[in-house]
Amino acid sequence: MTTTDHSQMMKQWQFTKSGSPRDVLTMVEVPIPTTCADDEVLVQISHVSLNSAFAHRLIAYYGVFDPVGAFMGRPGVPEKDFSGIICDLRGANVTEFNIGDRVFGIGPTSFREIAQGVLCEYALVKRDHIVKVPDNISLKDAACFPITGFTAYCFLVEKAKLKKGDKVFINGGSGAVGVMAVQLARTIVGPTGLVVATCSPMKNDIVRNLGADEIIDYTSHVLPDFLREHYGSRPFDVIFDTVGSDHALYSNSPNYLTPSGSTVWLVTKRILQLLSAMVVPVYLGGVPRRHIFESLTPTSSRMVAMAKLVEEGSMKAVIDSTYKFTDVLDAYDRMMSRKVTGKVVIEVNDLDR
Ligand SMILES: NC(=O)c1ccc[n+]([C@@H]2O[C@H](COP(=O)([O-])OP(=O)(O)OC[C@H]3O[C@@H](n4cnc5c(N)ncnc54)[C@H](OP(=O)(O)O)[C@@H]3O)[C@@H](O)[C@H]2O)c1
């Protein structure tokens, strides 16, 4: 553990109770952290990008996700995705980074730290959760990738083993994870493969320009029926679901997914159906298709692999809008408007300049 003696203050957005961001978030002054565990670095934050899960789940239901913290009135700090510059207090075990390195990464992910985020001017972060920003990428763009690019990489490449020539279906192609998944899938499957994605009609052109060959308007079709009708004769190798609202997408998947294919679920709103899908064997009526649903841990090697794809241009930042650090409440209003495509970015202290 390293300790530095300074008493400077920083600004931080906090919440201590459940509610909508506009009702519960406040900006306060707190001391810049002065201790650093051996596997941590202190980062001066340049940009933070918002994740819908924070507004819709963690802040909205703080008492459910962190009952002890909420009961004790321990302040939560929103968001996990950041870019910035390593500025101080390197832990003794950190040898792969130096003060002044431009980095991007993911804030604390342990269950105990679920409500500890990075919407502040300085943050302590684990060395395994960060990676150097490629020279050809700005800090603003870099803040868009940590969770979304990492998620698309881990599930499509590591877990589903998507490959050249494959056919892939991405449900929610206009969301923050979806825009990364569409781009990465396009790169991996190449011109002989097929990328099909859903989105609402006004986002059709954006998703097509990111690399989707075919777009499905989810607002005017019953998805499992549409997929059976149009893709039953050319079934997918991978289904990547970022929406999780319709278990029928999985239970009907034998109609449009190859027998060796995989479905990836990032989220489910039908947890009991999901659990039964995972445990019921095929001979008892289970769905005869592979099913991937898990929480991923950031590691150095995964972060490096994600950063390489970013450097090569396999995933580009899709920025919906940018807000000043003082305008975070407006940024959350925008993110919750459902008009967003890609990322809402907060300029905490633009260190690109
Ligand atoms: N398991 C993990 O490791 C992991 C990691 C990251 C994220 N997640 C989860 O993944 C989910 C997606 O995250 P995100 O940040 O990409 O969310 P997001 O930016 O809010 O995007 C949500 C997407 O869902 C689409 N959508 C909404 N209702 C739909 C429906 N009925 N059918 C088809 N599409 C629909 C929206 O399309 P339109 O905007 O076009 O209407 C939008 O593209 C979140 O629940 C998040 O918590 C999980």
Side-chain angles (χ1 to χ4, degrees):
M1 172 101 51
T2 311
T3 305
T4 293
D5 178 23
H6 62 75
S7 54
Q8 291 173 351
M9 303 295 280
M10 67 168 179
K11 294 193 172 57
Q12 182 180 68
W13 284 93
Q14 292 186 349
F15 58 101
T16 52
K17 58 184 179 186
S18 309
S20 72
R22 182 162 284 284
D23 293 338
V24 301
L25 284 185
T26 52
M27 188 196 264
V28 298
E29 286 225 330
V30 297
I32 296 173
T34 55
T35 58
C36 188
D38 285 346
D39 62 347
E40 288 178 333
V41 299
L42 183 72
V43 173
Q44 183 180 8
I45 303 292
S46 177
H47 293 81
V48 168
S49 71
L50 304 187
N51 284 291
S52 61
F54 247 93
H56 292 296
R57 284 186 227 139
L58 193 70
I59 301 176
Y61 302 103
Y62 182 39
V64 174
F65 284 96
D66 188 1
V68 177
F71 179 72
M72 293 169 64
R74 182 171 63 210
V77 179
E79 303 306 333
K80 300 286 181 184
D81 281 309
F82 69 90
S83 64
I85 291 180
I86 295 182
C87 63
D88 204 354
L89 299 173
R90 287 176 303 140
N93 293 340
V94 182
T95 54
E96 64 275 54
F97 297 105
N98 290 301
I99 290 176
D101 282 349
R102 301 159 78 238
V103 292
F104 60 145
I106 302 173
T109 55
S110 71
F111 187 67
R112 195 173 50 82
E113 298 171 303
I114 189 167
Q116 298 311 306
V118 296
L119 199 47
C120 49
E121 293 180 297
Y122 294 83
L124 284 174
V125 292
K126 297 262 184 258
R127 69 173 190 190
D128 286 355
H129 292 194
I130 62 172
V131 60
K132 288 179 190 165
V133 176
D135 289 343
N136 59 341
I137 303 295
S138 68
L139 286 167
K140 180 176 174 181
D141 282 359
C144 299
F145 296 109
I147 289 183
T148 57
F150 167 83
T151 302
Y153 161 75
C154 287
F155 282 117
L156 287 178
V157 178
E158 265 189 29
K159 303 289 174 185
K161 304 202 186 310
L162 190 69
K163 59 186 187 312
K164 191 176 167 190
D166 275 356
K167 300 183 186 68
V168 56
F169 170 63
I170 296 161
N171 195 25
S174 55
V177 177
V179 296
M180 294 298 158
V182 168
Q183 296 180 78
L184 184 56
R186 176 77 278 151
T187 303
I188 295 172
V189 304
T192 56
L194 180 72
V195 180
V196 179
T198 60
C199 63
S200 47
M202 64 181 176
K203 299 179 182 174
N204 190 317
D205 288 347
I206 299 170
V207 178
R208 197 177 286 278
N209 286 335
L210 291 172
D213 298 295
E214 296 170 21
I215 304 282
I216 301 170
D217 169 9
Y218 73 81
T219 63
S220 52
H221 298 291
V222 177
L223 212 43
D225 296 348
F226 186 89
L227 293 176
R228 186 189 63 240
E229 201 177 317
H230 291 82
Y231 298 96
S233 59
R234 42 176 184 148
F236 298 107
D237 301 285
V238 173
I239 292 176
F240 185 82
D241 185 3
T242 76
V243 179
S245 53
D246 192 355
H247 180 263
L249 185 62
Y250 175 60
S251 55
N252 287 286
S253 61
N255 293 327
Y256 39 78
L257 181 67
T258 60
S260 59
S262 303
T263 55
V264 177
W265 277 17
L266 291 193
V267 62
T268 179
K269 293 164 189 157
R270 305 273 188 276
I271 191 71
L272 288 178
Q273 286 176 322
L274 175 71
L275 289 176
S276 65
M278 293 176 84
V279 298
V280 175
V282 172
Y283 63 86
L284 289 180
V287 180
R289 291 296 182 273
R290 184 170 172 236
H291 190 285
I292 302 167
F293 178 74
E294 61 185 81
S295 174
L296 297 166
T297 308
T299 62
S300 291
S301 59
R302 283 172 163 170
M303 296 302 285
V304 167
M306 181 271 290
K308 188 161 183 293
L309 292 167
V310 171
E311 182 175 19
E312 292 167 354
S314 298
M315 294 185 282
K316 295 196 173 72
V318 179
I319 295 179
D320 175 86
S321 45
T322 307
Y323 290 82
K324 299 276 182 209
F325 192 46
T326 46
D327 296 334
V328 157
L329 300 182
D330 295 336
Y332 275 107
D333 285 347
R334 169 72 192 166
M335 201 195 61
M336 296 173 81
S337 70
R338 297 211 55 193
K339 294 180 185 146
V340 172
T341 305
K343 280 290 197 175
V344 175
V345 175
I346 309 297
E347 183 187 299
V348 179
N349 183 6
D350 188 352
L351 301 174
D352 275 327
R353 290 183 186 143

